[in-house]
Amino acid sequence: MREHGGNLDQAQQRFGGRAEDWIDLSTGINRLPYPVGEVSARAWSALPSRAEIEALHRAAGHAYRTGAPIVALGGAQAAIQLLPQLARPGRARILAPTYNEYAGVLSAAGWEVQEVGELGALPGADLAIVVNPNNPDGRRSAPQDLLALLPRVGRLVVDESFSDADPQSSLASEADRPGLLILRSFGKFYGLAGLRLGFAIAHAADIDRLAAMSGPWPVSGAAIEIGCRALRDEAWTEVTSARLARDCVRLDALAHAQGWRLIGGTSLFRLYETPDALAAQERLARVHIWSRVFARQPTWLRLGLPGSEAEWTRLAQALAR
């Protein structure tokens, strides 16, 4: 498996404790998840109907403010796995550093993969990929700059997995343009990563192909029922977005007191430059708080946002020691 956050089992092997003893801040998953409530017996026992899947698509269109065609998939990762099959292998350029699954999946499928550091290096690619906001550093590309790439690349994929709290940055409303494909993750903002739900939004031709490849039941009945409920809950979305904005300021203040420098982030995670990220990670791990470090960037430490006040207190006390 490629390097990712969420590897809590490795933390337990090194530092002990049960999973429930840990505060896992190594991911960008909201630690105050959407309140699922009751799920109907039918959601567990019956195959999802076409009407139910279409209801989920309409809910996603409402949440993402788009009328473009949509297909639900088992997380944004499921869309990434299918991406190489949308065209014959060619030249892919990825705005990097970024989520490392893109390069690995495309290379394994026979694509020539080049990682580039600027948007201006993407033109000429058969497939161009931009994660916006970027993972892991939160870098943002302006929507108009991304749209300007469309005539200059074969297909442009914009991964908006961390854009829920910043809808103005989204290109979902433009996704019916040929050559543009938007990916959205449900699990991060709504804090329900285990549900495995995500969406691709694109021109009908691409959506039809993705739907055909993903099969007749690409997501579970429970994912449909919970997704429909959450995606239409505008009040929860508004309150959560405001809380996350406040919590980013709160976490940045704790990090600043340690002498760590903020170098990027989104509403769901923050990236800091530290003197020694591995030492900082180990210091937190000894009190069962897990963070993310990066093999190629030994000074980078990434923290998700704590959820409950008890988690905030534990983190503040750990940093104060």
Side-chain angles (χ1 to χ4, degrees), residues 72-86:
L73 298 163
Q77 183 64 45
I80 295 171
Q81 299 298 136
L82 297 175
L83 192 58
Q85 302 176 50
L86 282 176

Side-chain angles (χ1 to χ4, degrees), residues 77-151:
Q77 183 64 45
I80 295 171
Q81 299 298 136
L82 297 175
L83 192 58
Q85 302 176 50
L86 282 176
R88 288 180 297 180
R91 180 186 297 112
R93 291 179 181 161
I94 303 171
L95 188 63
T98 195
Y99 184 54
N100 58 25
E101 287 293 325
Y102 283 103
V105 167
L106 288 164
S107 294
W111 285 73
E112 175 192 337
V113 176
Q114 180 184 9
E115 295 188 341
V116 301
E118 301 293 337
L119 282 181
L122 294 173
D126 301 301
L127 175 63
I129 295 170
V130 179
V131 179
N132 192 49
N134 190 41
N135 173 13
D137 60 8
R139 175 171 55 178
R140 287 164 171 79
S141 299
Q144 62 269 25
D145 293 338
L146 294 172
L147 289 175
L149 290 170
L150 282 179

Side-chain angles (χ1 to χ4, degrees), residues 3-311:
E3 178 188 85
H4 295 293
N7 53 341
L8 192 59
D9 54 343
Q10 297 176 25
Q12 290 175 256
Q13 289 172 11
R14 289 182 59 196
F15 300 99
R18 303 164 301 168
E20 55 267 32
D21 298 328
W22 285 79
I23 302 173
D24 187 1
L25 303 183
S26 69
T27 75
I29 298 167
N30 183 357
R31 290 190 61 80
L32 289 179
Y34 184 80
V36 169
E38 293 187 7
V39 178
S40 69
R42 172 181 167 75
W44 299 113
S45 62
L47 286 172
S49 69
R50 176 47 52 188
E52 289 166 336
I53 294 173
E54 288 303 322
L56 177 61
H57 292 163
R58 290 193 297 273
H62 172 81
Y64 302 144
R65 306 179 186 183
T66 183
I70 295 178
V71 62
L73 298 163
Q77 183 64 45
I80 295 171
Q81 299 298 136
L82 297 175
L83 192 58
Q85 302 176 50
L86 282 176
R88 288 180 297 180
R91 180 186 297 112
R93 291 179 181 161
I94 303 171
L95 188 63
T98 195
Y99 184 54
N100 58 25
E101 287 293 325
Y102 283 103
V105 167
L106 288 164
S107 294
W111 285 73
E112 175 192 337
V113 176
Q114 180 184 9
E115 295 188 341
V116 301
E118 301 293 337
L119 282 181
L122 294 173
D126 301 301
L127 175 63
I129 295 170
V130 179
V131 179
N132 192 49
N134 190 41
N135 173 13
D137 60 8
R139 175 171 55 178
R140 287 164 171 79
S141 299
Q144 62 269 25
D145 293 338
L146 294 172
L147 289 175
L149 290 170
L150 282 179
R152 307 169 69 192
V153 299
R155 178 179 281 105
L156 173 64
V157 174
V158 183
D159 184 332
E160 296 183 348
S161 290
F162 288 99
S163 68
D164 292 70
D166 185 20
Q168 292 75 23
S169 68
S170 175
L171 283 177
S173 63
E174 305 287 340
D176 56 355
R177 298 190 185 203
L180 177 61
L181 175 62
I182 306 298
L183 302 185
R184 299 293 294 246
S185 168
F186 175 85
K188 294 179 177 64
F189 179 73
Y190 291 93
L192 298 171
L195 201 63
R196 305 312 306 137
L197 178 60
F199 300 92
I201 314 171
H203 187 266
D206 279 349
I207 293 301
D208 288 347
R209 294 190 65 191
L210 287 169
M213 287 188 286
S214 63
W217 304 290
V219 294
S220 70
I224 293 170
E225 188 168 314
I226 295 167
C228 283
R229 189 181 305 164
L231 288 163
R232 290 193 178 276
D233 194 338
E234 296 179 5
W236 185 89
T237 296
E238 182 177 350
V239 169
T240 297
S241 296
R243 174 185 60 81
L244 291 172
R246 294 192 302 270
D247 285 352
C248 285
V249 175
R250 186 176 182 180
L251 185 57
D252 291 346
L254 289 176
H256 180 73
Q258 297 297 307
W260 299 349
R261 184 172 68 91
L262 177 69
I263 55 175
T266 71
S267 62
L268 287 167
F269 65 81
R270 315 301 281 169
L271 182 66
Y272 303 108
E273 186 172 54
T274 73
D276 184 335
L278 277 174
Q281 183 188 53
E282 181 169 335
R283 172 181 162 199
L284 292 171
R286 293 194 180 283
V287 289
H288 293 165
I289 299 172
W290 194 229
S291 56
R292 183 172 178 189
V293 295
F294 301 85
R296 295 184 180 181
Q297 300 288 348
T299 63
W300 284 12
L301 182 79
R302 203 182 83 173
L303 290 174
L305 305 180
S308 67
E309 280 302 313
E311 291 187 354

